Amino acid sequence: MILHIDCNSFYAACEMARHPELKGKPVIVGNHNEVGGGVILALTKEAKQLGLKRGVPMFQSKKVIDSNEVKVFPADLTRYGEVSRQIMKTVTNSELLKDFHQYSIDEFFGTVSIKNKNDLHEFGMLIKNIIYEKTSIPVSCGISLTYTLAKTATWYAKKFEGYHGVCVLMEENLEKALKRIPIASVWGVGYRSAPKMKQMQIATAWDFTQKNKMFILNCFRVSGLRTWMELKGTPAINLHEHATQRTVMHSRTFTHMTSDHEQMQNYVCNYAVAAARKLRRQHSICRSVTVFANTNRHREDLQQYSNGFTVHLSHATADTTTIVKAAYQALNAIFQPYYLYKRAGVMLSDIMSDEAIEQDLFTPMTKSLKKSVRLMHTTDMINQKYGTNKIKLASQVVQTKKENTDWKPERTTRQI
C-alpha cells in the first residue's frame, strides 16, 4: 500500500508554527512588491472563511485584509525548505515507512506493509500525529493501492472533516470514491486535458476508468494511460525515474526595484549558488552559465530594458565557486546603470551526468578538481543536516546598505 502525506496550507502552517499566538486567527502568506502588491500564496482556514483565496492579488483583497486584521507574512522559502527537511527527517527516523521519499516541498510518499483497513487508518493517524508533535505542521494522509489513488485518498482526507485527516481507499470502495471526485482534481490530469475530457463526457475519475485502453492511449498518450491504470488499481508510476533536467534555473522577482550593481551581484550570487546546489542534487554538471535581468514591464512610466548573456565554461562542473564567477562575468556583460531592475535569474545549461567527470579517460581528474568535488559534497551534507546556507560563500554575505533583509546572514553562518 502507498501512503501519501500532504501538508495543509504549508507556507501558512510554517508561519503559525513560528507564531503560535496567532492560532485561530486569519493568516496569509504572500509575495510582496515595492507598491504593496503581490499574490496570496497560502492562507489559514480562518482566512479562507473571510473569502480570501490563493492566487488572488493582494491589492484586490486589501479591504478584507485590513478590516479583519489579517496577519500577512512575506514568503520565506528558505525556512519552508528547512521545515520540509525536518518533516522528512522525522518520518525517516521513525522507521515506520519503507521507501519514504519527498515528492515536493509539502508532499511525501512511502510504502506501508499493513493490509487491514482498520489498522491502516490507525497507522495513518500515527504518522500524522508524529509529524505534528515534532514540527507543529498539520498534514493529511491518503492510503491506497497506487500513487494516484493515494493522492485521491488525500483529496478526501482534506475535503471532508469526518476523515480526521486520514482516508484509506481499499479496492472494495474505489468505485464509490472515483464517482465523487471530479476528473480535474485527479493527480496527473493537466489543465489542458481537463477541458478536453469534459467535451468527451468524462466528468469524474470513474468516467475516465470506464473508457477502454486504446481510447485512452490514442487521446491522452502514455501519461494518460498511466493515470488510467493507476486509478484502476494497477501501479504504473515510478517516482524514482526522474529525467535529468536539460536546464536548471533559479530566478526571483525583487521585493524592491534596484539599480545598484553590488546589490544585483548579491542577488545573482545567491541564485547561482541555489542553481548549483540543484544541479548537484540531480548528479549533473554543466558547461554554460546564463544570467538574465529585466526591468518592471508593468511600470510604463519607467525606461525598459531586458538582456541576457551566456558564459561557456572551459570544462563541465557543478562547483559553486566556478559557477558564481561565471555568473558575475555574465552579469557584468549585460548590466546597464540607471535602469531599475525588477527581476534577475541564473540558468545552467549544456547539462550532463556527473559520472562524466570520472569516466573521461583522456582528461584525468586533477587534484584541484578532486578537491572541488569533495568540498561541494561536504558543504552539501552540512547544509542538508543543519539547514540551507549554514555554510555560504563569502560573497553571499556582502551586503549593501540599501539591500532588503532577505539575504542577511545568520550569526551561525560560516564562510568558505
Side-chain angles (χ1 to χ4, degrees), residues 86-97 100-101:
Q86 187 181 358
I87 294 173
M88 184 77 186
K89 183 178 179 180
T90 296
V91 179
T92 301
N93 289 345
S94 73
E95 299 182 346
L96 292 172
L97 289 171
F100 185 65
H101 53 278

Side-chain angles (χ1 to χ4, degrees), residues 101-264:
H101 53 278
Q102 184 173 15
Y103 176 69
S104 66
I105 192 170
D106 62 346
E107 291 185 79
F108 310 83
F109 283 102
T111 303
V112 187
S113 57
I114 302 172
K115 294 185 178 181
N116 183 279
K117 181 179 179 179
N118 293 329
D119 292 340
L120 281 171
H121 189 272
E122 291 182 7
F123 183 84
M125 290 298 297
L126 176 62
I127 294 292
K128 179 177 179 288
N129 292 335
I130 287 176
I131 293 174
Y132 188 79
E133 180 183 345
K134 297 292 184 181
T135 68
S136 298
I137 302 298
V139 304
S140 297
C141 299
I143 304 175
S144 194
L145 304 170
T146 67
Y147 287 114
T148 304
L149 287 175
K151 286 269 289 186
T152 301
T154 303
W155 182 84
Y156 277 98
K158 293 171 74 76
K159 193 172 183 65
F160 300 100
E161 293 184 0
Y163 287 105
H164 303 291
V166 178
C167 176
V168 179
L169 285 183
M170 304 296 285
E171 193 170 3
E172 60 269 20
N173 55 11
L174 285 184
E175 180 177 345
K176 182 179 179 181
L178 295 181
K179 283 182 175 179
R180 296 187 63 183
I181 182 171
I183 188 62
S185 298
V186 173
W187 184 46
V189 177
Y191 70 95
R192 292 180 180 176
S193 299
K196 183 179 178 180
M197 291 179 179
K198 186 177 181 180
Q199 293 177 351
M200 297 176 176
Q201 306 301 311
I202 300 174
T204 67
W206 177 254
D207 296 334
F208 187 66
T209 62
Q210 297 312 291
K211 300 296 182 180
N212 65 61
K213 182 177 181 179
M214 290 309 300
F215 174 86
I216 297 296
L217 189 58
N218 290 333
C219 295
F220 305 105
R221 306 303 179 191
V222 176
S223 60
L225 181 61
R226 287 178 180 147
T227 300
W228 179 81
M229 292 175 64
E230 290 255 331
L231 287 173
K232 292 173 76 69
T234 302
I237 294 175
N238 186 349
L239 294 184
H240 297 292
E241 293 180 349
H242 290 302
T244 300
Q245 292 181 252
R246 295 181 179 179
T247 61
V248 171
M249 185 173 72
H250 195 91
S251 65
R252 287 287 185 273
T253 298
F254 307 149
T255 303
H256 301 280
M257 293 183 291
T258 182
S259 60
D260 186 87
H261 182 264
E262 188 176 358
Q263 186 171 343
M264 286 289 288

Side-chain angles (χ1 to χ4, degrees), residues 22 33 43 106 143 174 182 217 228 235 257 277 296-297 322 345 362-363 390 410 413:
L22 295 175
N33 58 34
L43 58 171
D106 62 346
I143 304 175
L174 285 184
L217 189 58
W228 179 81
M257 293 183 291
R277 182 167 56 242
N296 190 345
R297 61 186 177 87
T322 301
F362 299 100
T363 55
K390 287 299 180 181
E410 301 177 7
T413 297

